[in-house]
Amino acid sequence: DAKTTQPPSMDCAEGRAANLPCNHSTISGNEYVYWYRQIHSQGPQYIIHGLKNNETNEMASLIITEDRKSSTLILPHATLRDTAVYYCIVRVGAGNNNDMRFGAGTRLTVKP
Amino acid sequence: GAVVSQHPSRVICKSGTSVKIECRSLDFQATTMFWYRQFPKQSLMLMATSNEGSKATYEQGVEKDKFLINHASLTLSTLTVTSAHPEDSSFYICSARTFNQPQHFGDGTRLSIL
């Protein structure tokens, strides 16, 4: 599976956009980019995923570069409740045994 | 959105006790369920994968006789930590998915063995 690299920590001002980068230079053609986040003492929460096109939902936007070697998760208006560890995971999309393997993630702190 | 319920949320018990944790998919049928463990200040580590009606597949280093997994239906999987000891104290998290959909996670069970 392709490995991902994320900065260990980031800060963001409340109300501003939070842009979380992820490098996945060895991604293969059938691997999707998934983003999850984990708020302290809770289970991970699914945010968004994509293959090659940019994606947007009610939580966030996912921008994937044309060569698919990196992506950015965008929280358009960060709130204090967005403080969490954000995980970027690359996995094959289809198939029953598509388990998520978690790296260290990025600890995002939203400050007032 | 998809909801995964995990119970209990917290367990404190004596060394040598066996502890059962339940994981339910509330609004979808989960073809596959996963069990993770997370130690303080560390990331989640996959323990095992189970498909309904078949034996679980354990990750390297995870003792199958220690961590018994049963996936008897499309909405329920259980993890039993047998003869638990203090080193088994951890945050156990389950997740569930149906074919071609993202995994959704429960809120975890904090297990403390005295």
Side-chain angles (χ1 to χ4, degrees):
Chain A
D1 303 311
K3 183 179 176 179
T4 62
T5 304
Q6 298 178 254
S9 64
M10 292 181 65
D11 290 343
C12 177
E14 187 179 20
R16 305 296 294 269
N19 298 288
L20 293 95
C22 180
N23 286 323
H24 31 79
S25 58
T26 60
I27 193 170
S28 59
N30 62 346
E31 288 184 311
Y32 286 69
V33 180
Y34 290 83
W35 283 84
Y36 285 80
R37 72 180 182 184
Q38 186 178 24
I39 296 170
H40 184 62
S41 294
Q42 296 182 22
Q45 177 188 22
Y46 166 77
I47 301 173
I48 199 167
H49 76 283
L51 182 63
K52 56 182 179 180
N53 296 325
N54 297 338
E55 301 287 346
T56 295
N57 63 20
E58 64 278 4
M59 289 183 69
S61 295
L62 174 61
I63 309 298
I64 303 174
T65 58
E66 194 169 339
D67 63 7
R68 301 186 70 236
K69 293 185 177 182
S70 65
S71 61
T72 301
L73 178 75
I74 301 173
L75 307 178
H77 305 287
T79 70
L80 299 179
R81 286 180 293 183
D82 292 322
T83 292
V85 179
Y86 287 77
Y87 297 97
C88 168
I89 302 169
V90 171
R91 293 294 285 173
V92 173
N96 264 352
N97 290 341
N98 179 16
D99 56 83
M100 292 293 147
R101 306 273 175 156
F102 290 79
T106 295
R107 181 172 297 279
L108 174 69
T109 302
V110 181
K111 298 186 174 181
Chain B
V3 177
V4 175
S5 173
Q6 196 170 334
H7 177 80
S9 59
R10 179 159 188 128
V11 180
I12 301 172
C13 58
K14 294 180 179 179
S15 185
T17 307
S18 291
V19 179
K20 180 183 282 189
I21 303 169
E22 289 189 350
C23 179
R24 294 180 184 273
S25 56
L26 297 186
D27 54 356
F28 66 102
Q29 293 188 323
T31 48
T32 309
M33 287 187 168
F34 306 87
W35 287 94
Y36 294 79
R37 180 168 52 181
Q38 185 175 32
F39 291 107
K41 298 190 186 299
Q42 295 185 21
S43 191
L44 286 81
M45 297 297 295
L46 180 67
M47 298 175 67
T49 302
S50 72
N51 294 307
E52 184 262 341
S54 61
K55 289 185 178 180
T57 301
Y58 289 80
E59 293 299 301
Q60 192 172 6
V62 178
E63 301 174 55
K64 62 179 181 181
D65 295 330
K66 173 78 172 175
F67 300 99
L68 302 179
I69 292 172
N70 184 281
H71 190 168
S73 76
L74 285 172
T75 59
L76 174 64
S77 176
T78 60
L79 168 69
T80 301
V81 183
T82 62
S83 187
H85 292 285
E87 59 267 27
D88 298 321
S89 298
S90 189
F91 191 47
Y92 291 86
I93 307 168
C94 74
S95 71
R97 60 164 293 181
T98 190
F99 186 76
N100 228 13
Q101 295 298 316
Q103 282 187 42
H104 292 278
F105 289 79
D107 270 341
T109 296
R110 190 161 301 282
L111 176 62
S112 300
I113 308 298
L114 306 177

